[in-house]
Amino acid sequence: MSADPAEPVYRNPVLDADWSDPDVIRVGDDFYLTASSFGRVPGLPLLHSRDLVNWTLVGHALQRLEPESEFAAPRHDCGVWAPSLRHHDGRFWIFWGDPDRGVFQVNAPEIRGPWTRPHLVKAGKGLIDPCPLWDDETGEAYLVHAWAKSRSGVKNRLTGHRMHPHGTELLDEGKVIVDGDRIPGWFTLEGPKLYRHDGWFWIFAPAGGVETGWQGAFRSRAFFGPYEEKVVLEQKDTDVNGPHQGGWVRTPSGEDWFLHFQQRGAYGRVVHLQPMRWGGGGGWPVIGDDGAPVAEHRRPDLPPQPPAAPATDDDFPGGRPGRQWQWTANPRDGWATHHSADGLRLTCVRTPDAHDLRALPNVLTQRLPGTPCTVEVDLRLDDGEPGARAGLAVLGDAYSWIGLQRGPDGTVRLVHRFAETVADQERDAAPPRPAPGGRARLRVDIDAGARCRFSYDTGDTGGTANTADTGDGAGQGGFRPSGQVFAATPWRWVGALLGLVALAPTGQGHAGTATFTQFRIRIQEKRADR
């Protein structure tokens, strides 16, 4: 869903999917953005744009989560929280907080790498949302971070440090430089982004929680304070709830812009672009329409760019998934087989958790689009043992999936299963059906409320849907509807995910493989004028 460069305006969100906790910088004529990736691998996505509206995914800065043994199984709300992206001394730098281990840093000479292995800058529990600053005026370096109460017992405050200019160590024990408990009405202060502007130290930091909070700005003449504060972006009478946590960027022509997220339930945290200017009421930044988010606005004063968006479709050339895919934990050798043709060939991994996809590390995922869409993929279940299965899933605290499973007699059947949030194992969403040849085309239609309607085509419908076993109404072409409508749900900090999976119960020996081809996402309500 890219923006038409011929249109004089853009529409929000500019990234209509779960690119959580975005941070942005400009280097020359190029803009770069990173976002939280939590427990998924690879982590730290890297996006590129020339106009702040059209974005493409160009890679990841983190190939595996460390320590590797701690991320051998899914940890959906752990890992990489709220990274900060900076460019200093000819290198790209990313700092992030792992809430269980501390503040980490990686760096690279180019955005596409090679990136260094993670370096622990400050160890500790509950250290989150770090942001560095190299002060060109003094040559000194600083770092600010927030706190996660779930790990540290502390929240609603920002701690500042002096940092060595090489970015690998802190030079003091730290000092609380903003205490949200001392500001009437402020709570859950987090996500700080640190800047220098017009002789001031500036901290852009949200508060109030992701659902209903606001964006604050803090300023001081000295890094360690005291700071004064102002709310610079809030929902007001718009439908953009909790507009906050992002980054400020300036274009070559001197325009200022602010990118932030909006929490949208199962769709996760989608990214909005707001105009910004300095000088409102005593030199404070003014974001959006006098502090309210804009739904549309004049495009940035930047050269027109061709429409672009992070990739979703995939033919899996050579058996390799595209950049848009992430595993739910550190991958292991043998999960996917590289080969000379197209198609993703997944091993049916034996697991004691075959009854619950949420516990599996070998689910290949991508973000759920924030716009109504239809998701389709072809699946073939190859040679394998009874119990081997594979399919297309919509994953969250609750999940549903549709796919193929080999039975005790060796035949392959179409299965559709789901698990409620409170359930520790899945149930049938519809009766199993024959799948001649062990093949099926799988489909999920997802509407504006993230309500998912599953259907399938096993090639035996003759173009006429059979609805007697579901009562769901007529199918489309050769597709038969399956089961009841499923409402996608987020995980704790993560939007719902689309997933491809192959698995088998515990046992000995090779359990078989599954091949996925022609993965497609078709937007139902295309907004080419965004």
Side-chain angles (χ1 to χ4, degrees):
M1 297 188 308
S2 53
D4 184 347
E7 290 290 329
V9 301
Y10 70 90
R11 291 187 174 87
N12 277 315
V14 292
L15 284 167
D16 201 358
D18 186 24
W19 301 95
S20 177
D21 312 319
D23 194 23
V24 62
I25 61 170
R26 177 177 67 87
V27 180
D29 294 327
D30 298 286
F31 299 91
Y32 300 103
L33 181 147
T34 191
S36 295
S37 50
F38 299 99
R40 302 196 302 279
V41 181
L44 289 173
L46 304 167
L47 286 80
H48 170 255
S49 177
R50 285 288 184 92
D51 63 2
L52 291 171
V53 175
N54 292 284
W55 293 88
T56 57
L57 178 64
V58 297
H60 292 81
L62 190 61
Q63 296 308 307
R64 298 183 74 81
L65 290 165
E66 297 185 6
E68 292 199 15
S69 61
E70 292 188 10
F71 292 94
R75 301 178 66 199
H76 302 296
D77 59 351
C78 300
V80 177
W81 284 24
S84 292
L85 175 63
R86 293 293 181 264
H87 189 262
H88 167 70
D89 197 25
R91 298 186 70 86
F92 291 88
W93 302 76
I94 301 178
F95 286 68
W96 75 93
D98 178 323
D100 299 302
R101 298 196 64 221
V103 174
F104 284 88
Q105 169 260 104
V106 292
N107 60 86
E110 305 289 342
I111 195 68
R112 291 171 175 82
W115 289 85
T116 60
R117 287 188 61 175
H119 174 79
L120 184 60
V121 178
K122 180 183 179 182
K125 294 279 189 179
L127 310 179
I128 58 169
D129 309 351
C131 184
L133 172 70
W134 286 270
D135 187 349
D136 292 334
E137 296 181 20
T138 65
E140 296 190 335
Y142 305 94
L143 184 130
V144 62
H145 69 80
W147 294 86
K149 187 175 182 179
S150 60
R151 272 72 164 187
S152 66
V154 173
K155 72 168 189 175
N156 204 34
R157 64 189 62 174
L158 306 179
T159 295
H161 293 266
R162 291 180 62 242
M163 182 177 73
H164 194 290
H166 57 40
T168 59
E169 63 179 310
L170 303 179
L171 301 179
D172 56 35
E173 294 300 314
K175 175 185 175 182
V176 175
I177 57 177
V178 179
D179 186 347
D181 290 346
R182 296 179 177 272
I183 308 173
W186 284 59
F187 61 95
T188 317
L189 176 64
E190 57 188 351
K193 294 294 181 282
L194 181 59
Y195 305 98
R196 199 83 155 94
H197 173 69
D198 196 27
W200 296 87
F201 287 91
W202 291 89
I203 300 174
F204 284 49
V210 297
E211 296 284 355
T212 59
W214 58 89
Q215 177 67 40
F218 299 82
R219 70 180 183 184
S220 174
R221 292 295 184 183
F223 171 70
F224 287 103
Y227 283 84
E228 52 185 324
E229 80 283 343
K230 182 179 177 67
V231 174
V232 292
L233 184 70
E234 55 188 328
Q235 181 172 353
K236 296 190 176 180
D237 60 355
T238 75
D239 61 358
V240 181
N241 58 295
H244 67 215
Q245 190 153 332
W248 160 48
V249 68
R250 175 167 287 177
T251 70
S253 65
E255 287 185 345
D256 295 301
W257 297 85
F258 185 74
L259 282 145
H260 67 91
F261 76 72
Q262 174 197 10
Q263 174 67 37
R264 290 191 57 220
Y267 298 114
R269 300 173 180 182
V270 303
V271 179
H272 291 238
L273 176 66
Q274 301 295 336
M276 175 176 146
R277 60 182 174 84
W278 291 92
W284 291 88
V286 178
I287 300 177
D289 180 9
D290 196 24
V294 300
E296 64 178 47
H297 193 269
R298 172 188 57 79
R299 299 171 67 89
D301 180 22
L302 293 163
Q305 301 297 316
T312 55
D313 295 354
D314 206 346
D315 289 319
F316 310 104
R320 293 171 171 83
R323 295 188 182 103
Q324 66 269 34
W325 297 97
Q326 297 169 291
W327 298 99
T328 47
N330 281 327
R332 302 173 198 167
D333 292 340
W335 286 359
T337 302
H338 297 166
H339 53 87
S340 59
D342 288 352
L344 177 68
R345 192 175 298 164
L346 294 182
T347 298
C348 294
V349 176
R350 291 190 180 277
T351 174
D353 296 313
H355 58 281
D356 190 348
L357 300 190
R358 293 164 296 198
L360 299 184
N362 59 305
V363 185
L364 195 61
T365 68
Q366 67 166 282
R367 292 161 179 81
L368 186 74
T371 299
C373 65
T374 296
V375 182
E376 290 186 9
V377 68
D378 282 327
L379 170 62
R380 183 183 75 240
L381 190 61
D382 300 318
D383 60 303
E385 294 188 359
R389 67 200 77 164
L392 168 66
V394 178
L395 288 164
D397 277 336
Y399 72 84
S400 186
W401 71 279
I402 190 168
L404 300 173
Q405 179 169 330
R406 190 173 298 278
D409 60 356
T411 61
V412 177
R413 299 180 73 81
L414 190 291
V415 296
H416 182 191
R417 299 195 173 108
F418 76 101
E420 300 171 82
T421 300
V422 296
D424 58 4
Q425 62 182 0
E426 61 190 27
R427 298 160 50 199
D428 283 332
R433 292 99 163 181
R439 296 172 177 266
R441 181 109 180 128
L442 310 173
R443 173 187 286 179
V444 186
D445 292 294
I446 306 171
D447 69 15
R451 291 164 57 85
C452 304
R453 294 171 173 83
F454 289 80
S455 57
Y456 66 97
D457 180 2
T458 56
D460 66 338
T461 63
T464 302
N466 177 358
T467 62
D469 56 359
T470 65
D472 288 332
Q476 300 176 355
F479 279 88
R480 297 181 180 184
S482 181
Q484 302 300 315
V485 173
F486 170 75
T489 64
W491 271 313
R492 186 175 183 187
W493 308 122
V494 181
L497 298 166
L498 300 171
L500 303 177
V501 64
L503 66 149
T506 55
Q508 299 298 317
H510 181 64
T513 60
T515 301
F516 296 87
T517 54
Q518 294 185 319
F519 183 92
R520 299 289 184 268
I521 296 181
R522 185 174 69 253
I523 300 303
Q524 295 175 3
E525 297 177 5
K526 190 172 182 180
R527 293 159 54 194
D529 57 348
R530 195 191 67 207

